Amino acid sequence: MKAKRLIGLAVGTILILMMWKTFSQKGVSHLDTNFREVARYRNENNTGPVRRVYVVAVNDTNWTDLEAYGNFQPHSKLGTTEVFFFLEGQDVPTTLNGSAPYFSSSYNQQAIAHYEKNPSGLVSFKKFPFR
């Protein structure tokens, strides 16, 4: 009887710790920069490479936060994830095409950074691209 209580207590403690760790992980809301997703695209291919593209307006150019935001975005094995960052208040694309270029070149001058995670999971973060 005592052994069952100890096992139950141990299992209960482990479950509580697992739940606490799950719900206390840091995310986008823990970053100092304010992010507003303006547009997104995801192809409907669930059996092959998945392409995700996001346009995000930010209130600051904290490069560490911008790269962290990209790292928080979903990524599929052999898929690509791209995030285009624009300053809040500037002209920002609101619709995206399914292939590059994802938006009109008239927005290229307003873009402040580009994040990409390629099919191998390698990250590329470029400041002030498209010039």
Side-chain angles (χ1 to χ4, degrees), residues 4-66:
K4 286 183 181 180
R5 283 186 186 175
L6 285 174
I7 291 173
L9 182 62
V11 169
T13 303
I14 290 171
L15 286 174
I16 289 171
L17 286 173
M18 286 173 46
M19 289 177 57
W20 177 71
K21 281 287 200 182
T22 299
F23 293 112
S24 65
Q25 289 185 4
K26 293 190 177 195
V28 173
S29 62
H30 290 92
L31 299 174
D32 293 330
T33 305
N34 292 328
F35 297 91
R36 182 175 60 87
E37 186 178 296
V38 178
R40 85 172 112 171
Y41 171 83
R42 183 195 185 278
N43 64 337
E44 296 183 18
N45 188 358
N46 289 325
T47 58
V50 175
R51 180 181 302 118
R52 291 180 175 92
V53 181
Y54 301 90
V55 170
V56 178
V58 297
N59 68 331
D60 190 10
T61 56
N62 181 335
W63 305 119
T64 305
D65 278 2
L66 299 185

Tab-separated table of all heavy atoms in Angstrom, residues 4-66:
chain	number	residue	atom	x	y	z
A	4	LYS	N	2.473	1.800	-3.451
A	4	LYS	CA	1.546	2.350	-4.438
A	4	LYS	C	1.407	3.864	-4.257
A	4	LYS	O	1.336	4.609	-5.232
A	4	LYS	CB	0.173	1.692	-4.316
A	4	LYS	CG	0.131	0.286	-4.859
A	4	LYS	CD	-1.270	-0.263	-4.781
A	4	LYS	CE	-1.330	-1.686	-5.300
A	4	LYS	NZ	-2.678	-2.235	-5.229
A	5	ARG	N	1.381	4.321	-3.015
A	5	ARG	CA	1.275	5.758	-2.755
A	5	ARG	C	2.522	6.486	-3.243
A	5	ARG	O	2.441	7.568	-3.822
A	5	ARG	CB	1.077	6.019	-1.262
A	5	ARG	CG	-0.322	5.744	-0.807
A	5	ARG	CD	-0.483	6.158	0.618
A	5	ARG	NE	-1.804	5.756	1.086
A	5	ARG	CZ	-2.213	5.880	2.309
A	5	ARG	NH1	-1.412	6.389	3.230
A	5	ARG	NH2	-3.426	5.494	2.649
A	6	LEU	N	3.687	5.904	-2.986
A	6	LEU	CA	4.936	6.518	-3.442
A	6	LEU	C	4.998	6.575	-4.962
A	6	LEU	O	5.413	7.597	-5.540
A	6	LEU	CB	6.140	5.762	-2.888
A	6	LEU	CG	6.447	5.991	-1.410
A	6	LEU	CD1	7.577	5.070	-0.972
A	6	LEU	CD2	6.812	7.434	-1.171
A	7	ILE	N	4.590	5.506	-5.610
A	7	ILE	CA	4.590	5.488	-7.071
A	7	ILE	C	3.596	6.517	-7.607
A	7	ILE	O	3.890	7.264	-8.537
A	7	ILE	CB	4.277	4.071	-7.602
A	7	ILE	CG1	5.451	3.132	-7.301
A	7	ILE	CG2	3.996	4.101	-9.115
A	7	ILE	CD1	5.191	1.687	-7.615
A	8	GLY	N	2.414	6.573	-7.006
A	8	GLY	CA	1.407	7.548	-7.411
A	8	GLY	C	1.895	8.973	-7.213
A	8	GLY	O	1.676	9.847	-8.062
A	9	LEU	N	2.562	9.219	-6.084
A	9	LEU	CA	3.111	10.550	-5.811
A	9	LEU	C	4.190	10.906	-6.832
A	9	LEU	O	4.236	12.034	-7.330
A	9	LEU	CB	3.670	10.601	-4.380
A	9	LEU	CG	4.233	11.935	-3.931
A	9	LEU	CD1	3.139	12.998	-3.931
A	9	LEU	CD2	4.838	11.810	-2.549
A	10	ALA	N	5.048	9.951	-7.154
A	10	ALA	CA	6.116	10.185	-8.133
A	10	ALA	C	5.529	10.473	-9.514
A	10	ALA	O	5.950	11.416	-10.196
A	10	ALA	CB	7.055	8.985	-8.193
A	11	VAL	N	4.552	9.675	-9.920
A	11	VAL	CA	3.926	9.876	-11.230
A	11	VAL	C	3.210	11.227	-11.261
A	11	VAL	O	3.312	11.975	-12.234
A	11	VAL	CB	2.959	8.718	-11.559
A	11	VAL	CG1	2.108	9.043	-12.781
A	11	VAL	CG2	3.728	7.430	-11.780
A	12	GLY	N	2.497	11.572	-10.211
A	12	GLY	CA	1.804	12.862	-10.128
A	12	GLY	C	2.776	14.025	-10.205
A	12	GLY	O	2.528	15.025	-10.894
A	13	THR	N	3.887	13.922	-9.509
A	13	THR	CA	4.906	14.975	-9.529
A	13	THR	C	5.488	15.138	-10.922
A	13	THR	O	5.654	16.264	-11.410
A	13	THR	CB	6.024	14.657	-8.518
A	13	THR	OG1	5.448	14.510	-7.217
A	13	THR	CG2	7.078	15.736	-8.501
A	14	ILE	N	5.771	14.034	-11.576
A	14	ILE	CA	6.321	14.083	-12.930
A	14	ILE	C	5.320	14.724	-13.888
A	14	ILE	O	5.692	15.570	-14.718
A	14	ILE	CB	6.733	12.679	-13.406
A	14	ILE	CG1	7.967	12.218	-12.615
A	14	ILE	CG2	7.015	12.662	-14.906
A	14	ILE	CD1	8.343	10.773	-12.833
A	15	LEU	N	4.049	14.367	-13.789
A	15	LEU	CA	3.024	14.959	-14.650
A	15	LEU	C	2.897	16.464	-14.424
A	15	LEU	O	2.786	17.240	-15.380
A	15	LEU	CB	1.676	14.274	-14.428
A	15	LEU	CG	1.538	12.876	-15.016
A	15	LEU	CD1	0.211	12.243	-14.601
A	15	LEU	CD2	1.645	12.929	-16.524
A	16	ILE	N	2.925	16.884	-13.187
A	16	ILE	CA	2.833	18.312	-12.869
A	16	ILE	C	4.040	19.057	-13.438
A	16	ILE	O	3.904	20.132	-14.027
A	16	ILE	CB	2.694	18.531	-11.349
A	16	ILE	CG1	1.308	18.082	-10.894
A	16	ILE	CG2	2.947	19.985	-10.973
A	16	ILE	CD1	1.115	18.034	-9.403
A	17	LEU	N	5.233	18.493	-13.278
A	17	LEU	CA	6.444	19.128	-13.820
A	17	LEU	C	6.391	19.216	-15.350
A	17	LEU	O	6.774	20.238	-15.934
A	17	LEU	CB	7.691	18.371	-13.382
A	17	LEU	CG	8.103	18.558	-11.922
A	17	LEU	CD1	9.254	17.621	-11.567
A	17	LEU	CD2	8.498	19.997	-11.669
A	18	MET	N	5.911	18.156	-15.994
A	18	MET	CA	5.806	18.158	-17.457
A	18	MET	C	4.828	19.232	-17.925
A	18	MET	O	5.099	19.965	-18.880
A	18	MET	CB	5.374	16.782	-17.970
A	18	MET	CG	6.465	15.746	-17.899
A	18	MET	SD	5.960	14.057	-18.295
A	18	MET	CE	5.012	14.243	-19.756
A	19	MET	N	3.686	19.345	-17.262
A	19	MET	CA	2.693	20.345	-17.641
A	19	MET	C	3.233	21.757	-17.397
A	19	MET	O	3.047	22.653	-18.224
A	19	MET	CB	1.390	20.114	-16.879
A	19	MET	CG	0.656	18.880	-17.351
A	19	MET	SD	-0.831	18.513	-16.429
A	19	MET	CE	-1.763	19.998	-16.627
A	20	TRP	N	3.911	21.956	-16.277
A	20	TRP	CA	4.469	23.267	-15.963
A	20	TRP	C	5.490	23.675	-17.028
A	20	TRP	O	5.487	24.797	-17.510
A	20	TRP	CB	5.102	23.257	-14.570
A	20	TRP	CG	5.752	24.555	-14.220
A	20	TRP	CD1	5.146	25.738	-13.940
A	20	TRP	CD2	7.155	24.802	-14.162
A	20	TRP	NE1	6.081	26.711	-13.701
A	20	TRP	CE2	7.338	26.159	-13.824
A	20	TRP	CE3	8.280	23.998	-14.346
A	20	TRP	CZ2	8.576	26.725	-13.686
A	20	TRP	CZ3	9.518	24.569	-14.204
A	20	TRP	CH2	9.661	25.921	-13.876
A	21	LYS	N	6.373	22.746	-17.394
A	21	LYS	CA	7.386	23.031	-18.411
A	21	LYS	C	6.737	23.333	-19.766
A	21	LYS	O	7.178	24.219	-20.496
A	21	LYS	CB	8.351	21.856	-18.571
A	21	LYS	CG	9.402	21.761	-17.517
A	21	LYS	CD	10.401	22.839	-17.740
A	21	LYS	CE	11.687	22.497	-17.047
A	21	LYS	NZ	12.662	23.552	-17.223
A	22	THR	N	5.678	22.597	-20.086
A	22	THR	CA	4.996	22.793	-21.364
A	22	THR	C	4.367	24.168	-21.456
A	22	THR	O	4.484	24.858	-22.468
A	22	THR	CB	3.912	21.714	-21.553
A	22	THR	OG1	4.539	20.430	-21.567
A	22	THR	CG2	3.154	21.916	-22.864
A	23	PHE	N	3.692	24.603	-20.413
A	23	PHE	CA	2.959	25.859	-20.463
A	23	PHE	C	3.786	27.083	-20.075
A	23	PHE	O	3.310	28.208	-20.178
A	23	PHE	CB	1.707	25.779	-19.588
A	23	PHE	CG	0.698	24.802	-20.131
A	23	PHE	CD1	0.420	23.626	-19.455
A	23	PHE	CD2	0.056	25.058	-21.322
A	23	PHE	CE1	-0.500	22.725	-19.958
A	23	PHE	CE2	-0.873	24.161	-21.838
A	23	PHE	CZ	-1.149	22.999	-21.149
A	24	SER	N	5.019	26.899	-19.653
A	24	SER	CA	5.838	28.050	-19.264
A	24	SER	C	6.975	28.323	-20.252
A	24	SER	O	7.842	29.130	-19.969
A	24	SER	CB	6.416	27.837	-17.860
A	24	SER	OG	7.316	26.748	-17.848
A	25	GLN	N	6.952	27.667	-21.417
A	25	GLN	CA	7.998	27.917	-22.401
A	25	GLN	C	7.835	29.297	-23.017
A	25	GLN	O	6.729	29.793	-23.186
A	25	GLN	CB	7.958	26.860	-23.502
A	25	GLN	CG	8.425	25.510	-23.042
A	25	GLN	CD	8.480	24.526	-24.193
A	25	GLN	OE1	8.238	24.868	-25.340
A	25	GLN	NE2	8.803	23.291	-23.882
A	26	LYS	N	8.965	29.894	-23.366
A	26	LYS	CA	8.944	31.222	-23.971
A	26	LYS	C	8.480	31.129	-25.418
A	26	LYS	O	8.658	30.121	-26.082
A	26	LYS	CB	10.317	31.859	-23.892
A	26	LYS	CG	10.709	32.176	-22.470
A	26	LYS	CD	11.936	33.002	-22.401
A	26	LYS	CE	12.192	33.312	-20.928
A	26	LYS	NZ	13.136	34.366	-20.756
A	27	GLY	N	7.891	32.216	-25.870
A	27	GLY	CA	7.393	32.294	-27.236
A	27	GLY	C	7.500	33.716	-27.749
A	27	GLY	O	8.189	34.564	-27.161
A	28	VAL	N	6.794	34.004	-28.817
A	28	VAL	CA	6.836	35.321	-29.442
A	28	VAL	C	6.401	36.405	-28.458
A	28	VAL	O	6.945	37.511	-28.460
A	28	VAL	CB	5.941	35.335	-30.702
A	28	VAL	CG1	5.825	36.732	-31.270
A	28	VAL	CG2	6.501	34.393	-31.741
A	29	SER	N	5.450	36.106	-27.603
A	29	SER	CA	4.955	37.115	-26.658
A	29	SER	C	6.007	37.537	-25.636
A	29	SER	O	5.863	38.573	-24.999
A	29	SER	CB	3.715	36.593	-25.934
A	29	SER	OG	4.039	35.439	-25.184
A	30	HIS	N	7.071	36.774	-25.493
A	30	HIS	CA	8.131	37.116	-24.548
A	30	HIS	C	9.202	38.028	-25.170
A	30	HIS	O	10.107	38.474	-24.473
A	30	HIS	CB	8.798	35.854	-24.005
A	30	HIS	CG	7.916	35.076	-23.094
A	30	HIS	ND1	7.105	34.057	-23.549
A	30	HIS	CD2	7.689	35.179	-21.771
A	30	HIS	CE1	6.437	33.560	-22.535
A	30	HIS	NE2	6.766	34.220	-21.436
A	31	LEU	N	9.100	38.302	-26.466
A	31	LEU	CA	10.065	39.170	-27.126
A	31	LEU	C	9.683	40.630	-26.895
A	31	LEU	O	8.512	40.962	-26.732
A	31	LEU	CB	10.105	38.863	-28.627
A	31	LEU	CG	10.527	37.435	-29.000
A	31	LEU	CD1	10.385	37.219	-30.498
A	31	LEU	CD2	11.943	37.149	-28.550
A	32	ASP	N	10.679	41.522	-26.897
A	32	ASP	CA	10.441	42.948	-26.652
A	32	ASP	C	9.770	43.654	-27.830
A	32	ASP	O	9.026	44.606	-27.653
A	32	ASP	CB	11.758	43.661	-26.324
A	32	ASP	CG	12.333	43.211	-24.994
A	32	ASP	OD1	11.538	42.838	-24.110
A	32	ASP	OD2	13.568	43.236	-24.849
A	33	THR	N	10.051	43.195	-29.036
A	33	THR	CA	9.496	43.808	-30.240
A	33	THR	C	8.045	43.400	-30.418
A	33	THR	O	7.679	42.258	-30.148
A	33	THR	CB	10.321	43.374	-31.467
A	33	THR	OG1	11.697	43.692	-31.241
A	33	THR	CG2	9.850	44.049	-32.729
A	34	ASN	N	7.218	44.342	-30.897
A	34	ASN	CA	5.817	44.024	-31.214
A	34	ASN	C	5.740	43.540	-32.653
A	34	ASN	O	6.227	44.213	-33.558
A	34	ASN	CB	4.922	45.251	-31.034
A	34	ASN	CG	4.808	45.645	-29.587
A	34	ASN	OD1	4.844	44.804	-28.701
A	34	ASN	ND2	4.680	46.937	-29.335
A	35	PHE	N	5.128	42.381	-32.844
A	35	PHE	CA	4.994	41.780	-34.167
A	35	PHE	C	3.522	41.735	-34.551
A	35	PHE	O	2.673	41.380	-33.741
A	35	PHE	CB	5.550	40.349	-34.167
A	35	PHE	CG	7.010	40.272	-33.859
A	35	PHE	CD1	7.456	40.114	-32.563
A	35	PHE	CD2	7.940	40.364	-34.876
A	35	PHE	CE1	8.805	40.047	-32.276
A	35	PHE	CE2	9.297	40.291	-34.601
A	35	PHE	CZ	9.725	40.140	-33.298
A	36	ARG	N	3.237	42.096	-35.818
A	36	ARG	CA	1.872	41.989	-36.323
A	36	ARG	C	1.939	41.296	-37.680
A	36	ARG	O	2.515	41.816	-38.634
A	36	ARG	CB	1.238	43.375	-36.468
A	36	ARG	CG	-0.211	43.336	-36.937
A	36	ARG	CD	-0.830	44.718	-36.959
A	36	ARG	NE	-0.149	45.648	-37.842
A	36	ARG	CZ	-0.410	45.799	-39.146
A	36	ARG	NH1	-1.333	45.064	-39.719
A	36	ARG	NH2	0.257	46.696	-39.854
A	37	GLU	N	1.368	40.104	-37.744
A	37	GLU	CA	1.347	39.356	-38.993
A	37	GLU	C	0.339	40.007	-39.935
A	37	GLU	O	-0.842	40.105	-39.619
A	37	GLU	CB	0.970	37.908	-38.716
A	37	GLU	CG	1.068	37.026	-39.920
A	37	GLU	CD	0.726	35.588	-39.608
A	37	GLU	OE1	1.459	34.959	-38.819
A	37	GLU	OE2	-0.301	35.118	-40.130
A	38	VAL	N	0.829	40.434	-41.093
A	38	VAL	CA	-0.010	41.138	-42.050
A	38	VAL	C	-0.545	40.178	-43.111
A	38	VAL	O	-1.701	40.251	-43.504
A	38	VAL	CB	0.779	42.288	-42.712
A	38	VAL	CG1	-0.060	42.993	-43.754
A	38	VAL	CG2	1.280	43.262	-41.662
A	39	ALA	N	0.300	39.274	-43.572
A	39	ALA	CA	-0.102	38.316	-44.605
A	39	ALA	C	0.667	37.024	-44.406
A	39	ALA	O	1.766	37.020	-43.850
A	39	ALA	CB	0.174	38.890	-45.994
A	40	ARG	N	0.044	35.940	-44.875
A	40	ARG	CA	0.732	34.646	-44.824
A	40	ARG	C	0.261	33.775	-45.973
A	40	ARG	O	-0.846	33.922	-46.472
A	40	ARG	CB	0.535	33.964	-43.490
A	40	ARG	CG	-0.729	33.171	-43.371
A	40	ARG	CD	-0.757	32.380	-42.117
A	40	ARG	NE	-1.788	32.951	-41.268
A	40	ARG	CZ	-2.191	32.401	-40.181
A	40	ARG	NH1	-1.657	31.300	-39.749
A	40	ARG	NH2	-3.147	32.950	-39.481
A	41	TYR	N	1.148	32.874	-46.374
A	41	TYR	CA	0.837	31.923	-47.431
A	41	TYR	C	1.361	30.565	-47.004
A	41	TYR	O	2.448	30.456	-46.443
A	41	TYR	CB	1.493	32.342	-48.756
A	41	TYR	CG	1.383	31.273	-49.810
A	41	TYR	CD1	0.227	31.151	-50.574
A	41	TYR	CD2	2.404	30.358	-50.007
A	41	TYR	CE1	0.104	30.147	-51.523
A	41	TYR	CE2	2.295	29.351	-50.949
A	41	TYR	CZ	1.141	29.252	-51.701
A	41	TYR	OH	1.016	28.244	-52.624
A	42	ARG	N	0.575	29.531	-47.260
A	42	ARG	CA	1.016	28.154	-47.059
A	42	ARG	C	0.433	27.346	-48.195
A	42	ARG	O	-0.780	27.355	-48.412
A	42	ARG	CB	0.527	27.579	-45.731
A	42	ARG	CG	1.057	26.162	-45.500
A	42	ARG	CD	0.278	25.467	-44.394
A	42	ARG	NE	0.803	24.168	-44.059
A	42	ARG	CZ	0.547	23.050	-44.725
A	42	ARG	NH1	-0.200	23.062	-45.798
A	42	ARG	NH2	1.062	21.907	-44.330
A	43	ASN	N	1.297	26.649	-48.927
A	43	ASN	CA	0.772	25.835	-50.014
A	43	ASN	C	0.002	24.650	-49.435
A	43	ASN	O	0.158	24.292	-48.276
A	43	ASN	CB	1.894	25.378	-50.959
A	43	ASN	CG	2.897	24.460	-50.304
A	43	ASN	OD1	3.050	24.469	-49.096
A	43	ASN	ND2	3.599	23.690	-51.103
A	44	GLU	N	-0.834	24.062	-50.245
A	44	GLU	CA	-1.696	22.988	-49.765
A	44	GLU	C	-1.065	21.610	-49.901
A	44	GLU	O	-1.748	20.608	-49.769
A	44	GLU	CB	-3.032	23.041	-50.517
A	44	GLU	CG	-3.788	24.322	-50.240
A	44	GLU	CD	-5.134	24.344	-50.927
A	44	GLU	OE1	-5.623	23.280	-51.326
A	44	GLU	OE2	-5.691	25.439	-51.042
A	45	ASN	N	0.218	21.549	-50.151
A	45	ASN	CA	0.895	20.278	-50.346
A	45	ASN	C	1.275	19.680	-48.995
A	45	ASN	O	2.191	20.140	-48.337
A	45	ASN	CB	2.148	20.497	-51.207
A	45	ASN	CG	2.784	19.206	-51.617
A	45	ASN	OD1	2.332	18.146	-51.235
A	45	ASN	ND2	3.830	19.300	-52.403
A	46	ASN	N	0.586	18.641	-48.578
A	46	ASN	CA	0.886	17.999	-47.300
A	46	ASN	C	1.777	16.772	-47.461
A	46	ASN	O	2.235	16.207	-46.481
A	46	ASN	CB	-0.406	17.597	-46.587
A	46	ASN	CG	-1.153	18.803	-46.077
A	46	ASN	OD1	-0.547	19.780	-45.664
A	46	ASN	ND2	-2.458	18.741	-46.124
A	47	THR	N	2.007	16.328	-48.679
A	47	THR	CA	2.834	15.141	-48.877
A	47	THR	C	4.233	15.484	-49.352
A	47	THR	O	5.117	14.655	-49.307
A	47	THR	CB	2.179	14.197	-49.907
A	47	THR	OG1	2.007	14.914	-51.131
A	47	THR	CG2	0.836	13.691	-49.402
A	48	GLY	N	4.453	16.678	-49.812
A	48	GLY	CA	5.769	17.093	-50.290
A	48	GLY	C	6.250	18.293	-49.507
A	48	GLY	O	5.805	18.540	-48.385
A	49	PRO	N	7.137	19.067	-50.111
A	49	PRO	CA	7.640	20.251	-49.411
A	49	PRO	C	6.523	21.263	-49.122
A	49	PRO	O	5.736	21.589	-49.995
A	49	PRO	CB	8.653	20.842	-50.387
A	49	PRO	CG	8.954	19.771	-51.365
A	49	PRO	CD	7.770	18.872	-51.409
A	50	VAL	N	6.484	21.734	-47.910
A	50	VAL	CA	5.514	22.743	-47.509
A	50	VAL	C	6.209	24.097	-47.529
A	50	VAL	O	7.272	24.265	-46.943
A	50	VAL	CB	4.946	22.446	-46.105
A	50	VAL	CG1	4.035	23.576	-45.641
A	50	VAL	CG2	4.202	21.124	-46.101
A	51	ARG	N	5.601	25.067	-48.216
A	51	ARG	CA	6.163	26.411	-48.293
A	51	ARG	C	5.314	27.341	-47.436
A	51	ARG	O	4.105	27.447	-47.623
A	51	ARG	CB	6.170	26.901	-49.735
A	51	ARG	CG	6.747	28.306	-49.870
A	51	ARG	CD	6.744	28.820	-51.300
A	51	ARG	NE	7.492	27.921	-52.172
A	51	ARG	CZ	6.947	27.266	-53.205
A	51	ARG	NH1	5.685	27.398	-53.474
A	51	ARG	NH2	7.692	26.483	-53.962
A	52	ARG	N	5.967	27.996	-46.484
A	52	ARG	CA	5.295	28.987	-45.632
A	52	ARG	C	5.974	30.332	-45.837
A	52	ARG	O	7.202	30.422	-45.786
A	52	ARG	CB	5.405	28.591	-44.161
A	52	ARG	CG	4.614	27.371	-43.791
A	52	ARG	CD	4.793	27.073	-42.293
A	52	ARG	NE	3.962	25.993	-41.857
A	52	ARG	CZ	4.322	24.719	-41.828
A	52	ARG	NH1	5.529	24.373	-42.229
A	52	ARG	NH2	3.496	23.793	-41.402
A	53	VAL	N	5.168	31.365	-46.051
A	53	VAL	CA	5.690	32.718	-46.247
A	53	VAL	C	4.861	33.652	-45.377
A	53	VAL	O	3.630	33.573	-45.373
A	53	VAL	CB	5.604	33.153	-47.725
A	53	VAL	CG1	6.184	34.541	-47.905
A	53	VAL	CG2	6.306	32.150	-48.622
A	54	TYR	N	5.542	34.516	-44.640
A	54	TYR	CA	4.883	35.468	-43.747
A	54	TYR	C	5.373	36.876	-44.040
A	54	TYR	O	6.547	37.081	-44.326
A	54	TYR	CB	5.205	35.157	-42.278
A	54	TYR	CG	4.792	33.781	-41.834
A	54	TYR	CD1	5.664	32.706	-41.939
A	54	TYR	CD2	3.539	33.552	-41.302
A	54	TYR	CE1	5.292	31.441	-41.540
A	54	TYR	CE2	3.151	32.288	-40.883
A	54	TYR	CZ	4.032	31.232	-41.009
A	54	TYR	OH	3.656	29.974	-40.604
A	55	VAL	N	4.463	37.842	-43.933
A	55	VAL	CA	4.818	39.261	-43.957
A	55	VAL	C	4.452	39.794	-42.579
A	55	VAL	O	3.315	39.644	-42.132
A	55	VAL	CB	4.053	40.023	-45.060
A	55	VAL	CG1	4.259	41.524	-44.913
A	55	VAL	CG2	4.502	39.550	-46.429
A	56	VAL	N	5.437	40.390	-41.908
A	56	VAL	CA	5.251	40.825	-40.525
A	56	VAL	C	5.671	42.283	-40.387
A	56	VAL	O	6.742	42.677	-40.858
A	56	VAL	CB	6.085	39.941	-39.566
A	56	VAL	CG1	5.950	40.417	-38.140
A	56	VAL	CG2	5.669	38.491	-39.696
A	57	ALA	N	4.815	43.077	-39.736
A	57	ALA	CA	5.143	44.467	-39.419
A	57	ALA	C	5.673	44.523	-37.990
A	57	ALA	O	5.124	43.875	-37.096
A	57	ALA	CB	3.906	45.351	-39.558
A	58	VAL	N	6.759	45.263	-37.791
A	58	VAL	CA	7.395	45.353	-36.473
A	58	VAL	C	7.555	46.818	-36.072
A	58	VAL	O	7.596	47.702	-36.919
A	58	VAL	CB	8.781	44.649	-36.459
A	58	VAL	CG1	8.647	43.165	-36.726
A	58	VAL	CG2	9.719	45.279	-37.471
A	59	ASN	N	7.648	47.053	-34.767
A	59	ASN	CA	7.807	48.427	-34.270
A	59	ASN	C	9.263	48.792	-34.008
A	59	ASN	O	9.559	49.916	-33.632
A	59	ASN	CB	7.000	48.615	-32.985
A	59	ASN	CG	7.560	47.822	-31.826
A	59	ASN	OD1	8.164	46.769	-32.021
A	59	ASN	ND2	7.360	48.311	-30.613
A	60	ASP	N	10.189	47.833	-34.190
A	60	ASP	CA	11.592	48.064	-33.851
A	60	ASP	C	12.473	47.184	-34.725
A	60	ASP	O	12.021	46.159	-35.237
A	60	ASP	CB	11.809	47.732	-32.370
A	60	ASP	CG	13.169	48.174	-31.854
A	60	ASP	OD1	13.876	48.905	-32.561
A	60	ASP	OD2	13.521	47.781	-30.727
A	61	THR	N	13.741	47.554	-34.864
A	61	THR	CA	14.688	46.737	-35.629
A	61	THR	C	15.637	45.995	-34.696
A	61	THR	O	16.836	45.960	-34.928
A	61	THR	CB	15.493	47.600	-36.617
A	61	THR	OG1	16.146	48.632	-35.876
A	61	THR	CG2	14.616	48.183	-37.694
A	62	ASN	N	15.113	45.400	-33.663
A	62	ASN	CA	15.915	44.572	-32.773
A	62	ASN	C	16.182	43.255	-33.512
A	62	ASN	O	15.349	42.364	-33.554
A	62	ASN	CB	15.155	44.325	-31.470
A	62	ASN	CG	15.939	43.499	-30.487
A	62	ASN	OD1	16.818	42.735	-30.854
A	62	ASN	ND2	15.621	43.664	-29.222
A	63	TRP	N	17.365	43.161	-34.126
A	63	TRP	CA	17.678	42.041	-35.019
A	63	TRP	C	17.596	40.703	-34.300
A	63	TRP	O	17.183	39.709	-34.895
A	63	TRP	CB	19.050	42.243	-35.651
A	63	TRP	CG	19.172	43.547	-36.362
A	63	TRP	CD1	20.044	44.554	-36.067
A	63	TRP	CD2	18.384	44.028	-37.460
A	63	TRP	NE1	19.846	45.620	-36.913
A	63	TRP	CE2	18.829	45.321	-37.780
A	63	TRP	CE3	17.337	43.487	-38.198
A	63	TRP	CZ2	18.293	46.077	-38.812
A	63	TRP	CZ3	16.785	44.245	-39.222
A	63	TRP	CH2	17.259	45.513	-39.519
A	64	THR	N	17.970	40.656	-33.050
A	64	THR	CA	17.905	39.406	-32.288
A	64	THR	C	16.452	38.945	-32.162
A	64	THR	O	16.156	37.758	-32.333
A	64	THR	CB	18.529	39.598	-30.891
A	64	THR	OG1	19.860	40.093	-31.055
A	64	THR	CG2	18.569	38.298	-30.124
A	65	ASP	N	15.547	39.883	-31.878
A	65	ASP	CA	14.127	39.545	-31.770
A	65	ASP	C	13.553	39.104	-33.113
A	65	ASP	O	12.742	38.177	-33.174
A	65	ASP	CB	13.320	40.737	-31.247
A	65	ASP	CG	13.381	40.878	-29.735
A	65	ASP	OD1	14.076	40.080	-29.076
A	65	ASP	OD2	12.715	41.790	-29.209
A	66	LEU	N	13.961	39.771	-34.186
A	66	LEU	CA	13.447	39.410	-35.507
A	66	LEU	C	13.861	37.989	-35.878
A	66	LEU	O	13.051	37.203	-36.367
A	66	LEU	CB	13.922	40.397	-36.571
A	66	LEU	CG	13.498	41.855	-36.414
A	66	LEU	CD1	13.940	42.674	-37.620
A	66	LEU	CD2	12.015	41.999	-36.191
